[in-house]
Amino acid sequence: MFFDLSKAFDKVSHPLLLRCLSDTFGLPDYLCALIQNYLSGRSQVVRVCDCLSNSAFVASGVPQGSIVGPLLFIAFANSVTSVQLSGDAQLVMYADDLALIEPVIGTAGTTALQSDIDLIAQHFTNTLSLPINTTKTKSQVFARSEAGVTQRALQLSDSPIDSVCTQRYLGAILNNTLSYTQHSNAAVAKVKRGVSFVCRTFRKAVPLSTLCLLYNALFMPTLLYAVAAVYPTCKKDRTALERAHKFAARSFLRCFDRDVSYEALLQRVRWLPLYRLAAVSRLVTCHKYVSAIRHMPPGCVVSKASAGVRVSPRVDHCRSLCVPRAKYSSCVSALSSMCSVYNLLPNSCASLPVKQFKRFVSDPAFLVPFLSKCPKSFVEQLFI
């Protein structure tokens, strides 16, 4: 379930927010008074060409575009996590993007899901005074194949909830089978359009170094988005992403000779292949988990020492990880390869702080020789 809150940031009640900060989070009175002063006394006008409307007093909401605005909204809506849901239901919330994930089996599962939807809607409407937009709230069924997708008749405030096959959530495109194809295709199309525009507009006016800076700032994050969390499920997706990377290098260098290899092109612009950047992302994810900075779902990845698993004498550090159990082979493949590569790191690297660790493993002088020592099966799975 993907919930959409109607004008969430604009309808935050100031008295409720201050009471929540004081009672729930224990903020001292002087900080609450500071936040109250920050939120009060605001007004707004509407401008159309040269005409201005009368000033109107803003009695609710938190400023959008500010640093503290999303934090205040999260604190305000945090009470929704206390709603008693059924079974294995989980709420995933990032600012005003709220998703309910729940396994549904048979009629009993549908009834439990409908009950959870009603509880969440009542909490937002009655407790927080934040209405849910029934027309933009969507439901989506995930299964291992299209044949296993069964639509469920669900309602929100007596209005039917639309069921979708594809949904964009936090920038990632999700389909019914959790395939990466649609997301990768959209990323490739966006990058190619952007690179073509940059070449038409700036290639003759700016040096190659400036074009590379634009690419790293504007387009590389699109290709690498969600690499550590969403893995391509087939070779076609990986090839499409690498070809977009190659297209950018060829366009900036004006080198369309097919005899020039992919690696040679990337060396000329001083870029790394995407699979190596993905390897860095996964290594950093493991290191953050080991350093207790990032959390993973329970039982997903555990320390071998805590799990009582034998540590190979070939491992040079005491931070070895393993995947105790997983239901799906794709999860086993991705997580196992990530842990196996991390376990091969030297102790001098695995014991570094996170920032130094990321800088160290991102250095091609370390990464290229290290990957050459890894088993071929691990390297091939780094981007899968």
Side-chain angles (χ1 to χ4, degrees), residues 39-94:
L39 297 175
S40 60
R42 293 181 176 271
S43 59
Q44 61 184 10
V45 295
V46 178
R47 179 174 180 174
V48 180
C49 296
D50 295 331
C51 299
L52 287 177
S53 67
N54 295 327
S55 177
F57 175 71
V58 178
S60 63
V62 294
Q64 299 188 42
S66 62
I67 296 177
V68 74
L71 293 177
L72 293 176
F73 179 83
I74 291 172
F76 178 74
N78 184 66
S79 60
V80 72
T81 58
S82 62
V83 175
Q84 297 296 322
L85 302 177
S86 60
D88 297 327
Q90 292 184 347
L91 275 177
V92 180
M93 189 172 184
Y94 184 84

Side-chain angles (χ1 to χ4, degrees), residues 323-357:
V323 181
R325 56 187 175 84
K327 295 181 180 180
Y328 305 117
S329 58
S330 59
C331 296
V332 174
S333 175
L335 294 175
S336 296
S337 61
M338 178 175 67
C339 294
S340 299
V341 173
Y342 182 79
N343 293 343
L344 292 175
L345 290 173
N347 184 58
S348 58
C349 178
S351 57
L352 290 173
V354 174
K355 288 186 178 180
Q356 296 181 21
F357 177 86

Side-chain angles (χ1 to χ4, degrees), residues 108-127:
T110 304
T111 303
L113 176 59
Q114 181 63 61
S115 176
D116 293 338
I117 294 172
D118 295 337
L119 289 175
I120 294 173
Q122 290 174 10
H123 183 84
F124 273 108
T125 304
N126 301 334
T127 306

Side-chain angles (χ1 to χ4, degrees), residues 189-215:
K190 182 178 179 180
V191 168
K192 286 187 174 181
R193 287 195 307 267
V195 168
S196 300
F197 172 78
V198 168
C199 289
R200 291 194 308 267
T201 309
F202 301 110
R203 187 168 59 183
K204 295 181 179 180
V206 298
L208 177 62
S209 59
T210 303
L211 294 176
C212 292
L213 286 175
L214 285 173
Y215 179 76

Side-chain angles (χ1 to χ4, degrees), residues 95-164:
D96 60 336
D97 291 314
L98 178 67
L100 171 64
I101 304 173
E102 185 169 345
V104 176
I105 301 176
T107 306
T110 304
T111 303
L113 176 59
Q114 181 63 61
S115 176
D116 293 338
I117 294 172
D118 295 337
L119 289 175
I120 294 173
Q122 290 174 10
H123 183 84
F124 273 108
T125 304
N126 301 334
T127 306
L128 302 178
S129 300
L130 291 177
I132 296 178
N133 191 330
T134 57
T135 59
K136 293 185 178 181
T137 297
K138 308 295 182 181
S139 68
Q140 187 175 13
V141 179
F142 298 114
R144 299 192 66 181
S145 64
E146 292 289 348
V149 176
T150 303
Q151 305 298 339
R152 309 287 176 171
L154 303 170
Q155 291 187 338
L156 177 63
S157 302
D158 298 328
S159 299
I161 299 175
D162 294 336
S163 182
V164 295

